[in-house]
Amino acid sequence: MERIPVSGPWITQKEIDYVTDAVTNAWYSNANCYHERFEKAFAQHLGVRFAAALPSCTSAIHLSLAARGIGPGDEVIVPDATWIASVAPVNYVGATTVFADIDPKTWCMSAESFEACITPKTKAVIPVDLYGSMPDWDTIRALADRHGIFVIEDAAEAVGSEYKGRPAGSLGDAGVFSFHGSKTLTTGEGGLLATNDEPLFRRALFLRDHGRPPGDRMFFNTETAYKYKMSSMQAALGFAQLERVSELVGRKRQIFDWYRRELENVKGVTLNTEPPGTKNSYWMVTAILDPSYGLQKAALMDLFASESIDTRPFFHPLSSIPAYHDSEQARIARSRNPVAYRISATGINLPSALNLDEAKVKRVCDVFKSILKHA
Ligand SMILES: *Cc1c(COP(=O)(O)O)cnc(C)c1O
């Protein structure tokens, strides 16, 4: 039986042509031509002033925190359920991670829990547009503004999502994206930082090139910093994918719709939501199982795997994993965040690769229904 992968890209001749052009011509005086095209087009797509292409979303979060001067003694609030990349950069700069609970419907950071986590030491918050879903941005933004908290929107999973007509990645003081091979728009590995804040952007450009101002010809570094750059082959791939972004997001929404039609009437299965006023780009179709089935996510994944279907676990609460488990903040979070623990326990990501067709989605759903019937 053909294995059904959980994620993967959609590459066409356009991508091959642009990358071929980059590897052939983007050298010497043309070395930056694809970076310039990609960054300008991405900023335009978001409606923001500045964008910098980077090697990963992790580096984009690190640069945002570093450019804002966040460090030891500062607290940064993050949702408890997300990929560790949203949070690890807080540790890179020596600040303290504070884990907020998630919302039971959107699965993103809950605005109430965010508010409860704010202390005089809070310097930043990193809301995550989880699986393409949108948190309650109006409330989060108002709280952040009232307390002078810097907002980094982790839109790694949300290219093409919208909140009240505004694109994901444009709702924070900084917006960050991932173009990892599993993401909707890919450059193989890659990321991007978007912002309207010119001083922040200038500082990020300086920090990402070993403490050199852009255009420096004297190699006369004034600080030790980082080396976070993308190659022109990756920028060319990103530029081609960005020209196809509506097609890519349209396919994700189509895949979700195939699943929705098969699963919406199955008792005890909850899929991704799209609250009024939002657009979900459904990076990963995700199913949360009612606990009455008695199936935890690992057992469910094994049952799918035995039918050659790859799935992933809903992100574990960060306060539960070994990397954070023994921290004081993780201990507090374990009693504060019941929703993250409840949702994560029985949640899995279903195959959502861009090469899926309706027949494969049907096969996944048939297997799912048969698992539930025997549970
Ligand atoms: C993929 C992902 C990242 C990290 O992206 P990289 O490009 O691998 O650094 C960050 N946050 C979220 C929510 C992600 O899904």
Side-chain angles (χ1 to χ4, degrees), residues 68 128 166 207 287 292-293 311 324 364:
R68 178 74 176 192
V128 179
R166 297 168 63 194
L207 290 176
S292 62
Y293 280 107
T311 58
Y324 287 108
V364 174

Side-chain angles (χ1 to χ4, degrees), residues 45-48 129 132 134-135 137-139 141-142 145 153 155 158-173 177 196 277-280:
H45 163 74
L46 293 179
V48 304
D129 302 328
M134 284 298 199
W137 273 110
D138 283 344
T139 309
R141 185 76 249 186
D145 288 347
E153 178 185 8
V159 71
S161 294
E162 291 175 11
Y163 181 84
K164 298 191 176 171
R166 297 168 63 194
S170 72
L171 294 147
D173 298 307
F177 288 88
N196 283 315
T278 68
K279 178 180 175 185
N280 195 328

Side-chain angles (χ1 to χ4, degrees), residues 58-223:
T58 307
S59 60
I61 298 173
H62 185 191
L63 275 183
S64 307
L65 293 165
R68 178 74 176 192
I70 289 164
D74 298 336
E75 291 178 357
V76 179
I77 299 173
V78 299
D80 203 342
T82 180
W83 176 228
I84 195 170
S86 308
V87 180
V90 176
N91 299 85
Y92 302 171
V93 299
T96 301
T97 49
V98 177
F99 305 100
D101 205 359
I102 60 170
D103 177 90
K105 286 223 163 57
T106 66
W107 309 333
C108 299
M109 188 180 72
S110 122
E112 297 73 52
S113 187
F114 167 41
E115 183 168 26
C117 290
I118 295 171
T119 75
K121 290 181 178 171
T122 308
K123 289 288 154 51
V125 61
I126 310 179
V128 179
D129 302 328
L130 203 76
Y131 304 135
S133 176
M134 284 298 199
D136 177 0
W137 273 110
D138 283 344
T139 309
I140 290 172
R141 185 76 249 186
L143 283 166
D145 288 347
R146 189 179 325 142
H147 295 272
I149 296 169
F150 179 62
V151 182
I152 301 171
E153 178 185 8
D154 183 347
E157 305 177 353
V159 71
S161 294
E162 291 175 11
Y163 181 84
K164 298 191 176 171
R166 297 168 63 194
S170 72
L171 294 147
D173 298 307
V176 295
F177 288 88
S178 171
F179 309 128
H180 177 260
S182 65
K183 300 290 168 31
T184 302
L185 186 161
T186 191
T187 62
E189 293 281 1
L192 182 134
L193 167 61
T195 185
N196 283 315
D197 181 336
E198 185 160 8
L200 182 87
F201 187 67
R202 298 283 155 230
R203 179 77 185 152
L205 292 185
F206 170 81
L207 290 176
R208 69 100 164 248
D209 192 16
H210 283 310
R212 293 170 68 190
D216 162 51
R217 287 171 189 284
M218 293 309 290
F219 299 86
F220 196 70
N221 315 72
T222 49
E223 285 176 46

